PDB file of all heavy atoms in Angstrom:
ATOM      1  N   THR Y  25      96.886 125.185 100.771  1.00  0.00           N
ATOM      2  CA  THR Y  25      97.285 124.278 101.830  1.00  0.00           C
ATOM      3  C   THR Y  25      98.014 123.032 101.219  1.00  0.00           C
ATOM      4  O   THR Y  25      97.761 122.650 100.118  1.00  0.00           O
ATOM      5  CB  THR Y  25      96.068 123.743 102.688  1.00  0.00           C
ATOM      6  OG1 THR Y  25      95.269 122.887 101.843  1.00  0.00           O
ATOM      7  CG2 THR Y  25      95.262 124.927 103.219  1.00  0.00           C
ATOM      8  N   PRO Y  26      98.895 122.444 101.998  1.00  0.00           N
ATOM      9  CA  PRO Y  26      99.566 121.214 101.516  1.00  0.00           C
ATOM     10  C   PRO Y  26      98.460 120.134 101.167  1.00  0.00           C
ATOM     11  O   PRO Y  26      98.649 119.388 100.219  1.00  0.00           O
ATOM     12  CB  PRO Y  26     100.417 120.723 102.664  1.00  0.00           C
ATOM     13  CG  PRO Y  26     100.680 121.999 103.487  1.00  0.00           C
ATOM     14  CD  PRO Y  26      99.454 122.811 103.306  1.00  0.00           C
ATOM     15  N   GLN Y  27      97.472 120.036 102.014  1.00  0.00           N
ATOM     16  CA  GLN Y  27      96.423 119.109 101.764  1.00  0.00           C
ATOM     17  C   GLN Y  27      95.644 119.266 100.447  1.00  0.00           C
ATOM     18  O   GLN Y  27      95.152 118.292  99.864  1.00  0.00           O
ATOM     19  CB  GLN Y  27      95.437 119.098 102.956  1.00  0.00           C
ATOM     20  CG  GLN Y  27      95.961 118.598 104.284  1.00  0.00           C
ATOM     21  CD  GLN Y  27      96.878 119.639 104.956  1.00  0.00           C
ATOM     22  OE1 GLN Y  27      96.811 120.851 104.613  1.00  0.00           O
ATOM     23  NE2 GLN Y  27      97.651 119.202 105.952  1.00  0.00           N
ATOM     24  N   SER Y  28      95.568 120.534 100.046  1.00  0.00           N
ATOM     25  CA  SER Y  28      94.804 120.806  98.756  1.00  0.00           C
ATOM     26  C   SER Y  28      95.480 120.161  97.557  1.00  0.00           C
ATOM     27  O   SER Y  28      94.777 119.964  96.555  1.00  0.00           O
ATOM     28  CB  SER Y  28      94.663 122.333  98.577  1.00  0.00           C
ATOM     29  OG  SER Y  28      95.915 122.928  98.212  1.00  0.00           O
ATOM     30  N   VAL Y  29      96.734 119.876  97.673  1.00  0.00           N
ATOM     31  CA  VAL Y  29      97.410 119.230  96.489  1.00  0.00           C
ATOM     32  C   VAL Y  29      97.847 117.782  96.817  1.00  0.00           C
ATOM     33  O   VAL Y  29      98.529 117.155  96.047  1.00  0.00           O
ATOM     34  CB  VAL Y  29      98.700 120.040  96.039  1.00  0.00           C
ATOM     35  CG1 VAL Y  29      98.305 121.386  95.535  1.00  0.00           C
ATOM     36  CG2 VAL Y  29      99.733 120.100  97.155  1.00  0.00           C
ATOM     37  N   GLY Y  30      97.290 117.295  97.974  1.00  0.00           N
ATOM     38  CA  GLY Y  30      97.506 115.899  98.343  1.00  0.00           C
ATOM     39  C   GLY Y  30      98.819 115.652  99.099  1.00  0.00           C
ATOM     40  O   GLY Y  30      99.204 114.434  99.161  1.00  0.00           O
ATOM     41  N   LYS Y  31      99.417 116.637  99.610  1.00  0.00           N
ATOM     42  CA  LYS Y  31     100.619 116.450 100.409  1.00  0.00           C
ATOM     43  C   LYS Y  31     100.272 116.149 101.802  1.00  0.00           C
ATOM     44  O   LYS Y  31     100.399 117.015 102.720  1.00  0.00           O
ATOM     45  CB  LYS Y  31     101.556 117.676 100.259  1.00  0.00           C
ATOM     46  CG  LYS Y  31     102.983 117.407 100.628  1.00  0.00           C
ATOM     47  CD  LYS Y  31     103.879 118.577 100.276  1.00  0.00           C
ATOM     48  CE  LYS Y  31     105.358 118.225 100.599  1.00  0.00           C
ATOM     49  NZ  LYS Y  31     106.262 119.334 100.298  1.00  0.00           N
ATOM     50  N   THR Y  32      99.897 114.912 102.103  1.00  0.00           N
ATOM     51  CA  THR Y  32      99.457 114.537 103.446  1.00  0.00           C
ATOM     52  C   THR Y  32     100.159 113.213 103.816  1.00  0.00           C
ATOM     53  O   THR Y  32     100.718 112.482 103.014  1.00  0.00           O
ATOM     54  CB  THR Y  32      97.935 114.260 103.507  1.00  0.00           C
ATOM     55  OG1 THR Y  32      97.590 113.307 102.494  1.00  0.00           O
ATOM     56  CG2 THR Y  32      97.170 115.594 103.175  1.00  0.00           C
ATOM     57  N   GLU Y  33     100.148 112.979 105.080  1.00  0.00           N
ATOM     58  CA  GLU Y  33     100.845 111.767 105.672  1.00  0.00           C
ATOM     59  C   GLU Y  33      99.768 110.933 106.402  1.00  0.00           C
ATOM     60  O   GLU Y  33      98.933 111.451 107.108  1.00  0.00           O
ATOM     61  CB  GLU Y  33     101.970 112.143 106.593  1.00  0.00           C
ATOM     62  CG  GLU Y  33     102.792 110.988 107.019  1.00  0.00           C
ATOM     63  CD  GLU Y  33     103.654 110.470 105.894  1.00  0.00           C
ATOM     64  OE1 GLU Y  33     104.043 111.313 105.033  1.00  0.00           O
ATOM     65  OE2 GLU Y  33     104.013 109.259 105.889  1.00  0.00           O
ATOM     66  N   SER Y  34      99.758 109.675 106.194  1.00  0.00           N
ATOM     67  CA  SER Y  34      98.856 108.768 106.859  1.00  0.00           C
ATOM     68  C   SER Y  34      99.110 108.681 108.361  1.00  0.00           C
ATOM     69  O   SER Y  34     100.213 108.751 108.788  1.00  0.00           O
ATOM     70  CB  SER Y  34      98.921 107.353 106.249  1.00  0.00           C
ATOM     71  OG  SER Y  34      98.232 106.432 107.034  1.00  0.00           O
ATOM     72  N   THR Y  35      98.058 108.580 109.141  1.00  0.00           N
ATOM     73  CA  THR Y  35      98.167 108.425 110.578  1.00  0.00           C
ATOM     74  C   THR Y  35      98.288 106.901 110.939  1.00  0.00           C
ATOM     75  O   THR Y  35      98.617 106.591 112.047  1.00  0.00           O
ATOM     76  CB  THR Y  35      96.959 108.981 111.329  1.00  0.00           C
ATOM     77  OG1 THR Y  35      95.768 108.314 110.820  1.00  0.00           O
ATOM     78  CG2 THR Y  35      96.825 110.433 111.125  1.00  0.00           C
ATOM     79  N   MET Y  36      98.063 106.029 109.932  1.00  0.00           N
ATOM     80  CA  MET Y  36      98.210 104.626 110.185  1.00  0.00           C
ATOM     81  C   MET Y  36      99.686 104.202 110.111  1.00  0.00           C
ATOM     82  O   MET Y  36     100.363 104.441 109.097  1.00  0.00           O
ATOM     83  CB  MET Y  36      97.424 103.854 109.120  1.00  0.00           C
ATOM     84  CG  MET Y  36      97.569 102.367 109.229  1.00  0.00           C
ATOM     85  SD  MET Y  36      96.553 101.527 107.928  1.00  0.00           S
ATOM     86  CE  MET Y  36      97.029  99.824 108.199  1.00  0.00           C
ATOM     87  N   VAL Y  37     100.206 103.658 111.177  1.00  0.00           N
ATOM     88  CA  VAL Y  37     101.651 103.332 111.257  1.00  0.00           C
ATOM     89  C   VAL Y  37     101.815 101.841 111.014  1.00  0.00           C
ATOM     90  O   VAL Y  37     101.132 100.973 111.628  1.00  0.00           O
ATOM     91  CB  VAL Y  37     102.235 103.698 112.635  1.00  0.00           C
ATOM     92  CG1 VAL Y  37     103.724 103.287 112.705  1.00  0.00           C
ATOM     93  CG2 VAL Y  37     102.062 105.217 112.853  1.00  0.00           C
ATOM     94  N   LEU Y  38     102.687 101.470 110.085  1.00  0.00           N
ATOM     95  CA  LEU Y  38     103.003 100.099 109.830  1.00  0.00           C
ATOM     96  C   LEU Y  38     104.419  99.811 110.382  1.00  0.00           C
ATOM     97  O   LEU Y  38     105.271 100.637 110.341  1.00  0.00           O
ATOM     98  CB  LEU Y  38     102.978  99.808 108.354  1.00  0.00           C
ATOM     99  CG  LEU Y  38     101.639  99.956 107.569  1.00  0.00           C
ATOM    100  CD1 LEU Y  38     101.813  99.696 106.108  1.00  0.00           C
ATOM    101  CD2 LEU Y  38     100.634  98.943 108.157  1.00  0.00           C
ATOM    102  N   GLY Y  39     104.579  98.594 110.867  1.00  0.00           N
ATOM    103  CA  GLY Y  39     105.910  98.188 111.354  1.00  0.00           C
ATOM    104  C   GLY Y  39     106.130  96.727 111.114  1.00  0.00           C
ATOM    105  O   GLY Y  39     105.393  96.092 110.349  1.00  0.00           O
ATOM    106  N   LYS Y  40     107.123  96.192 111.738  1.00  0.00           N
ATOM    107  CA  LYS Y  40     107.569  94.840 111.443  1.00  0.00           C
ATOM    108  C   LYS Y  40     106.559  93.726 111.812  1.00  0.00           C
ATOM    109  O   LYS Y  40     106.549  92.632 111.324  1.00  0.00           O
ATOM    110  CB  LYS Y  40     108.928  94.518 112.085  1.00  0.00           C
ATOM    111  CG  LYS Y  40     108.920  94.473 113.569  1.00  0.00           C
ATOM    112  CD  LYS Y  40     110.348  94.109 114.107  1.00  0.00           C
ATOM    113  CE  LYS Y  40     110.352  94.055 115.636  1.00  0.00           C
ATOM    114  NZ  LYS Y  40     111.730  93.711 116.061  1.00  0.00           N
ATOM    115  N   LEU Y  41     105.631  94.124 112.741  1.00  0.00           N
ATOM    116  CA  LEU Y  41     104.554  93.176 113.164  1.00  0.00           C
ATOM    117  C   LEU Y  41     103.315  93.285 112.267  1.00  0.00           C
ATOM    118  O   LEU Y  41     102.404  92.525 112.478  1.00  0.00           O
ATOM    119  CB  LEU Y  41     104.208  93.403 114.623  1.00  0.00           C
ATOM    120  CG  LEU Y  41     105.378  93.158 115.619  1.00  0.00           C
ATOM    121  CD1 LEU Y  41     104.916  93.422 117.002  1.00  0.00           C
ATOM    122  CD2 LEU Y  41     105.954  91.790 115.460  1.00  0.00           C
ATOM    123  N   SER Y  42     103.276  94.256 111.394  1.00  0.00           N
ATOM    124  CA  SER Y  42     102.081  94.478 110.558  1.00  0.00           C
ATOM    125  C   SER Y  42     101.950  93.300 109.536  1.00  0.00           C
ATOM    126  O   SER Y  42     102.965  92.771 109.062  1.00  0.00           O
ATOM    127  CB  SER Y  42     102.178  95.783 109.766  1.00  0.00           C
ATOM    128  OG  SER Y  42     102.206  96.864 110.700  1.00  0.00           O
ATOM    129  N   GLY Y  43     100.765  92.892 109.222  1.00  0.00           N
ATOM    130  CA  GLY Y  43     100.493  91.824 108.327  1.00  0.00           C
ATOM    131  C   GLY Y  43     100.384  92.237 106.870  1.00  0.00           C
ATOM    132  O   GLY Y  43     100.275  93.451 106.579  1.00  0.00           O
ATOM    133  N   ARG Y  44     100.262  91.258 106.019  1.00  0.00           N
ATOM    134  CA  ARG Y  44     100.166  91.475 104.597  1.00  0.00           C
ATOM    135  C   ARG Y  44      98.871  92.200 104.210  1.00  0.00           C
ATOM    136  O   ARG Y  44      98.876  93.073 103.370  1.00  0.00           O
ATOM    137  CB  ARG Y  44     100.197  90.081 103.903  1.00  0.00           C
ATOM    138  CG  ARG Y  44     100.255  90.141 102.380  1.00  0.00           C
ATOM    139  CD  ARG Y  44     100.130  88.735 101.836  1.00  0.00           C
ATOM    140  NE  ARG Y  44     100.275  88.680 100.402  1.00  0.00           N
ATOM    141  CZ  ARG Y  44     101.419  88.547  99.775  1.00  0.00           C
ATOM    142  NH1 ARG Y  44     102.579  88.441 100.435  1.00  0.00           N
ATOM    143  NH2 ARG Y  44     101.508  88.545  98.443  1.00  0.00           N
ATOM    144  N   HIS Y  45      97.786  91.902 104.980  1.00  0.00           N
ATOM    145  CA  HIS Y  45      96.497  92.455 104.636  1.00  0.00           C
ATOM    146  C   HIS Y  45      96.539  94.013 104.844  1.00  0.00           C
ATOM    147  O   HIS Y  45      96.118  94.785 104.001  1.00  0.00           O
ATOM    148  CB  HIS Y  45      95.392  91.831 105.506  1.00  0.00           C
ATOM    149  CG  HIS Y  45      94.011  92.356 105.163  1.00  0.00           C
ATOM    150  ND1 HIS Y  45      93.394  92.009 103.981  1.00  0.00           N
ATOM    151  CD2 HIS Y  45      93.203  93.217 105.823  1.00  0.00           C
ATOM    152  CE1 HIS Y  45      92.161  92.654 103.964  1.00  0.00           C
ATOM    153  NE2 HIS Y  45      92.033  93.321 105.087  1.00  0.00           N
ATOM    154  N   ALA Y  46      97.058  94.390 106.005  1.00  0.00           N
ATOM    155  CA  ALA Y  46      97.188  95.853 106.330  1.00  0.00           C
ATOM    156  C   ALA Y  46      98.112  96.543 105.303  1.00  0.00           C
ATOM    157  O   ALA Y  46      97.831  97.663 104.864  1.00  0.00           O
ATOM    158  CB  ALA Y  46      97.687  96.030 107.750  1.00  0.00           C
ATOM    159  N   PHE Y  47      99.126  95.846 104.935  1.00  0.00           N
ATOM    160  CA  PHE Y  47     100.119  96.433 103.937  1.00  0.00           C
ATOM    161  C   PHE Y  47      99.382  96.656 102.558  1.00  0.00           C
ATOM    162  O   PHE Y  47      99.504  97.709 102.012  1.00  0.00           O
ATOM    163  CB  PHE Y  47     101.255  95.479 103.752  1.00  0.00           C
ATOM    164  CG  PHE Y  47     102.225  95.799 102.676  1.00  0.00           C
ATOM    165  CD1 PHE Y  47     103.130  96.843 102.845  1.00  0.00           C
ATOM    166  CD2 PHE Y  47     102.241  95.089 101.488  1.00  0.00           C
ATOM    167  CE1 PHE Y  47     104.061  97.153 101.804  1.00  0.00           C
ATOM    168  CE2 PHE Y  47     103.107  95.390 100.478  1.00  0.00           C
ATOM    169  CZ  PHE Y  47     104.006  96.447 100.654  1.00  0.00           C
ATOM    170  N   VAL Y  48      98.645  95.611 102.098  1.00  0.00           N
ATOM    171  CA  VAL Y  48      98.010  95.744 100.819  1.00  0.00           C
ATOM    172  C   VAL Y  48      96.920  96.805 100.864  1.00  0.00           C
ATOM    173  O   VAL Y  48      96.780  97.616  99.904  1.00  0.00           O
ATOM    174  CB  VAL Y  48      97.431  94.413 100.391  1.00  0.00           C
ATOM    175  CG1 VAL Y  48      96.594  94.534  99.118  1.00  0.00           C
ATOM    176  CG2 VAL Y  48      98.555  93.379 100.084  1.00  0.00           C
ATOM    177  N   ASP Y  49      96.128  96.807 101.976  1.00  0.00           N
ATOM    178  CA  ASP Y  49      95.097  97.806 102.142  1.00  0.00           C
ATOM    179  C   ASP Y  49      95.654  99.245 102.054  1.00  0.00           C
ATOM    180  O   ASP Y  49      95.075 100.172 101.422  1.00  0.00           O
ATOM    181  CB  ASP Y  49      94.359  97.665 103.506  1.00  0.00           C
ATOM    182  CG  ASP Y  49      93.330  96.555 103.407  1.00  0.00           C
ATOM    183  OD1 ASP Y  49      93.094  96.030 102.319  1.00  0.00           O
ATOM    184  OD2 ASP Y  49      92.743  96.230 104.450  1.00  0.00           O
ATOM    185  N   ARG Y  50      96.873  99.432 102.741  1.00  0.00           N
ATOM    186  CA  ARG Y  50      97.410 100.813 102.700  1.00  0.00           C
ATOM    187  C   ARG Y  50      97.908 101.176 101.279  1.00  0.00           C
ATOM    188  O   ARG Y  50      97.682 102.283 100.863  1.00  0.00           O
ATOM    189  CB  ARG Y  50      98.618 100.794 103.640  1.00  0.00           C
ATOM    190  CG  ARG Y  50      99.202 102.219 103.841  1.00  0.00           C
ATOM    191  CD  ARG Y  50      98.207 103.087 104.580  1.00  0.00           C
ATOM    192  NE  ARG Y  50      98.336 104.490 104.159  1.00  0.00           N
ATOM    193  CZ  ARG Y  50      97.300 105.250 103.924  1.00  0.00           C
ATOM    194  NH1 ARG Y  50      96.001 104.825 104.067  1.00  0.00           N
ATOM    195  NH2 ARG Y  50      97.450 106.500 103.501  1.00  0.00           N
ATOM    196  N   LEU Y  51      98.452 100.246 100.537  1.00  0.00           N
ATOM    197  CA  LEU Y  51      98.901 100.534  99.219  1.00  0.00           C
ATOM    198  C   LEU Y  51      97.690 100.905  98.269  1.00  0.00           C
ATOM    199  O   LEU Y  51      97.756 101.811  97.507  1.00  0.00           O
ATOM    200  CB  LEU Y  51      99.667  99.327  98.593  1.00  0.00           C
ATOM    201  CG  LEU Y  51     101.092  99.065  99.136  1.00  0.00           C
ATOM    202  CD1 LEU Y  51     101.658  97.894  98.324  1.00  0.00           C
ATOM    203  CD2 LEU Y  51     101.941 100.305  98.924  1.00  0.00           C
ATOM    204  N   GLU Y  52      96.573 100.144  98.475  1.00  0.00           N
ATOM    205  CA  GLU Y  52      95.442 100.417  97.628  1.00  0.00           C
ATOM    206  C   GLU Y  52      94.866 101.794  97.997  1.00  0.00           C
ATOM    207  O   GLU Y  52      94.422 102.498  97.139  1.00  0.00           O
ATOM    208  CB  GLU Y  52      94.409  99.312  97.856  1.00  0.00           C
ATOM    209  CG  GLU Y  52      94.752  97.980  97.211  1.00  0.00           C
ATOM    210  CD  GLU Y  52      93.760  96.890  97.494  1.00  0.00           C
ATOM    211  OE1 GLU Y  52      92.830  97.104  98.363  1.00  0.00           O
ATOM    212  OE2 GLU Y  52      93.886  95.795  96.894  1.00  0.00           O
ATOM    213  N   ALA Y  53      94.848 102.164  99.310  1.00  0.00           N
ATOM    214  CA  ALA Y  53      94.411 103.480  99.704  1.00  0.00           C
ATOM    215  C   ALA Y  53      95.250 104.603  99.122  1.00  0.00           C
ATOM    216  O   ALA Y  53      94.802 105.681  98.851  1.00  0.00           O
ATOM    217  CB  ALA Y  53      94.399 103.579 101.211  1.00  0.00           C
ATOM    218  N   MET Y  54      96.539 104.233  98.891  1.00  0.00           N
ATOM    219  CA  MET Y  54      97.452 105.246  98.327  1.00  0.00           C
ATOM    220  C   MET Y  54      97.313 105.296  96.776  1.00  0.00           C
ATOM    221  O   MET Y  54      98.015 106.093  96.114  1.00  0.00           O
ATOM    222  CB  MET Y  54      98.883 104.912  98.720  1.00  0.00           C
ATOM    223  CG  MET Y  54      99.177 105.081 100.190  1.00  0.00           C
ATOM    224  SD  MET Y  54     100.782 104.397 100.699  1.00  0.00           S
ATOM    225  CE  MET Y  54     101.902 105.404  99.758  1.00  0.00           C
ATOM    226  N   GLY Y  55      96.557 104.402  96.232  1.00  0.00           N
ATOM    227  CA  GLY Y  55      96.291 104.444  94.811  1.00  0.00           C
ATOM    228  C   GLY Y  55      97.105 103.497  93.992  1.00  0.00           C
ATOM    229  O   GLY Y  55      97.039 103.529  92.731  1.00  0.00           O
ATOM    230  N   TYR Y  56      97.773 102.539  94.590  1.00  0.00           N
ATOM    231  CA  TYR Y  56      98.558 101.556  93.886  1.00  0.00           C
ATOM    232  C   TYR Y  56      97.705 100.309  93.575  1.00  0.00           C
ATOM    233  O   TYR Y  56      96.879  99.859  94.357  1.00  0.00           O
ATOM    234  CB  TYR Y  56      99.783 101.076  94.655  1.00  0.00           C
ATOM    235  CG  TYR Y  56     100.851 102.128  94.724  1.00  0.00           C
ATOM    236  CD1 TYR Y  56     101.069 102.922  95.821  1.00  0.00           C
ATOM    237  CD2 TYR Y  56     101.711 102.274  93.616  1.00  0.00           C
ATOM    238  CE1 TYR Y  56     102.108 103.882  95.801  1.00  0.00           C
ATOM    239  CE2 TYR Y  56     102.732 103.212  93.580  1.00  0.00           C
ATOM    240  CZ  TYR Y  56     102.891 104.021  94.741  1.00  0.00           C
ATOM    241  OH  TYR Y  56     103.864 104.954  94.721  1.00  0.00           O
ATOM    242  N   SER Y  57      97.828  99.820  92.337  1.00  0.00           N
ATOM    243  CA  SER Y  57      97.197  98.580  91.928  1.00  0.00           C
ATOM    244  C   SER Y  57      98.258  97.680  91.401  1.00  0.00           C
ATOM    245  O   SER Y  57      98.662  97.736  90.192  1.00  0.00           O
ATOM    246  CB  SER Y  57      96.145  98.895  90.784  1.00  0.00           C
ATOM    247  OG  SER Y  57      95.523  97.694  90.388  1.00  0.00           O
ATOM    248  N   LEU Y  58      98.721  96.743  92.262  1.00  0.00           N
ATOM    249  CA  LEU Y  58      99.850  95.863  91.932  1.00  0.00           C
ATOM    250  C   LEU Y  58      99.410  94.470  91.626  1.00  0.00           C
ATOM    251  O   LEU Y  58      98.406  93.994  92.163  1.00  0.00           O
ATOM    252  CB  LEU Y  58     100.897  95.901  93.053  1.00  0.00           C
ATOM    253  CG  LEU Y  58     101.463  97.207  93.508  1.00  0.00           C
ATOM    254  CD1 LEU Y  58     102.512  96.970  94.585  1.00  0.00           C
ATOM    255  CD2 LEU Y  58     102.117  97.950  92.339  1.00  0.00           C
ATOM    256  N   SER Y  59     100.127  93.788  90.778  1.00  0.00           N
ATOM    257  CA  SER Y  59      99.859  92.355  90.510  1.00  0.00           C
ATOM    258  C   SER Y  59     100.298  91.556  91.731  1.00  0.00           C
ATOM    259  O   SER Y  59     101.022  92.031  92.643  1.00  0.00           O
ATOM    260  CB  SER Y  59     100.642  91.905  89.253  1.00  0.00           C
ATOM    261  OG  SER Y  59     102.054  91.879  89.537  1.00  0.00           O
ATOM    262  N   GLN Y  60      99.936  90.257  91.735  1.00  0.00           N
ATOM    263  CA  GLN Y  60     100.304  89.390  92.844  1.00  0.00           C
ATOM    264  C   GLN Y  60     101.829  89.314  93.024  1.00  0.00           C
ATOM    265  O   GLN Y  60     102.372  89.397  94.125  1.00  0.00           O
ATOM    266  CB  GLN Y  60      99.740  88.005  92.712  1.00  0.00           C
ATOM    267  CG  GLN Y  60      99.820  87.116  93.891  1.00  0.00           C
ATOM    268  CD  GLN Y  60      99.063  87.766  95.069  1.00  0.00           C
ATOM    269  OE1 GLN Y  60      97.889  88.199  94.967  1.00  0.00           O
ATOM    270  NE2 GLN Y  60      99.677  87.835  96.248  1.00  0.00           N
ATOM    271  N   ASP Y  61     102.547  89.185  91.898  1.00  0.00           N
ATOM    272  CA  ASP Y  61     104.012  89.082  91.949  1.00  0.00           C
ATOM    273  C   ASP Y  61     104.577  90.413  92.519  1.00  0.00           C
ATOM    274  O   ASP Y  61     105.561  90.378  93.300  1.00  0.00           O
ATOM    275  CB  ASP Y  61     104.586  88.787  90.554  1.00  0.00           C
ATOM    276  CG  ASP Y  61     104.375  87.329  90.177  1.00  0.00           C
ATOM    277  OD1 ASP Y  61     104.034  86.510  91.051  1.00  0.00           O
ATOM    278  OD2 ASP Y  61     104.555  87.035  88.952  1.00  0.00           O
ATOM    279  N   GLU Y  62     104.040  91.521  92.045  1.00  0.00           N
ATOM    280  CA  GLU Y  62     104.545  92.813  92.539  1.00  0.00           C
ATOM    281  C   GLU Y  62     104.242  93.018  93.983  1.00  0.00           C
ATOM    282  O   GLU Y  62     105.076  93.554  94.697  1.00  0.00           O
ATOM    283  CB  GLU Y  62     103.913  93.958  91.686  1.00  0.00           C
ATOM    284  CG  GLU Y  62     104.418  93.965  90.253  1.00  0.00           C
ATOM    285  CD  GLU Y  62     103.599  94.901  89.383  1.00  0.00           C
ATOM    286  OE1 GLU Y  62     102.364  95.142  89.646  1.00  0.00           O
ATOM    287  OE2 GLU Y  62     104.161  95.329  88.289  1.00  0.00           O
ATOM    288  N   ILE Y  63     103.062  92.541  94.477  1.00  0.00           N
ATOM    289  CA  ILE Y  63     102.785  92.611  95.903  1.00  0.00           C
ATOM    290  C   ILE Y  63     103.780  91.765  96.695  1.00  0.00           C
ATOM    291  O   ILE Y  63     104.262  92.212  97.767  1.00  0.00           O
ATOM    292  CB  ILE Y  63     101.312  92.113  96.145  1.00  0.00           C
ATOM    293  CG1 ILE Y  63     100.352  93.197  95.590  1.00  0.00           C
ATOM    294  CG2 ILE Y  63     101.120  91.934  97.656  1.00  0.00           C
ATOM    295  CD1 ILE Y  63      98.890  92.733  95.672  1.00  0.00           C
ATOM    296  N   ASP Y  64     104.081  90.590  96.195  1.00  0.00           N
ATOM    297  CA  ASP Y  64     105.052  89.717  96.863  1.00  0.00           C
ATOM    298  C   ASP Y  64     106.369  90.409  96.993  1.00  0.00           C
ATOM    299  O   ASP Y  64     107.025  90.361  98.067  1.00  0.00           O
ATOM    300  CB  ASP Y  64     105.175  88.398  96.093  1.00  0.00           C
ATOM    301  CG  ASP Y  64     103.907  87.511  96.156  1.00  0.00           C
ATOM    302  OD1 ASP Y  64     103.109  87.730  97.063  1.00  0.00           O
ATOM    303  OD2 ASP Y  64     103.843  86.609  95.319  1.00  0.00           O
ATOM    304  N   ASN Y  65     106.818  91.003  95.933  1.00  0.00           N
ATOM    305  CA  ASN Y  65     108.076  91.710  95.933  1.00  0.00           C
ATOM    306  C   ASN Y  65     108.084  92.893  96.898  1.00  0.00           C
ATOM    307  O   ASN Y  65     109.017  93.051  97.661  1.00  0.00           O
ATOM    308  CB  ASN Y  65     108.348  92.179  94.445  1.00  0.00           C
ATOM    309  CG  ASN Y  65     109.772  92.671  94.270  1.00  0.00           C
ATOM    310  OD1 ASN Y  65     110.518  92.935  95.213  1.00  0.00           O
ATOM    311  ND2 ASN Y  65     110.169  92.907  93.021  1.00  0.00           N
TER     312      ASN Y  65
END
């Protein structure tokens, strides 16, 4: 299955009204660990 190799899509939708906290939480859930400067960028 696509899911067995991690080929999945999040059901959480982000848009222009989404805040920084939701954005960072989603990146962390995706496995990213960014520095503060990288998060700002």
Side-chain angles (χ1 to χ4, degrees):
T25 67
Q27 291 77 17
S28 70
V29 298
K31 197 170 184 180
T32 58
E33 189 71 30
S34 169
T35 57
M36 176 179 174
V37 177
L38 295 176
K40 66 179 182 180
L41 299 179
S42 299
R44 185 187 186 89
H45 183 73
F47 174 74
V48 173
D49 279 354
R50 188 67 213 138
L51 286 184
E52 289 177 352
M54 292 170 64
Y56 285 101
S57 178
L58 304 181
S59 69
Q60 193 59 50
D61 286 345
E62 289 169 336
I63 289 172
D64 291 343
N65 190 346

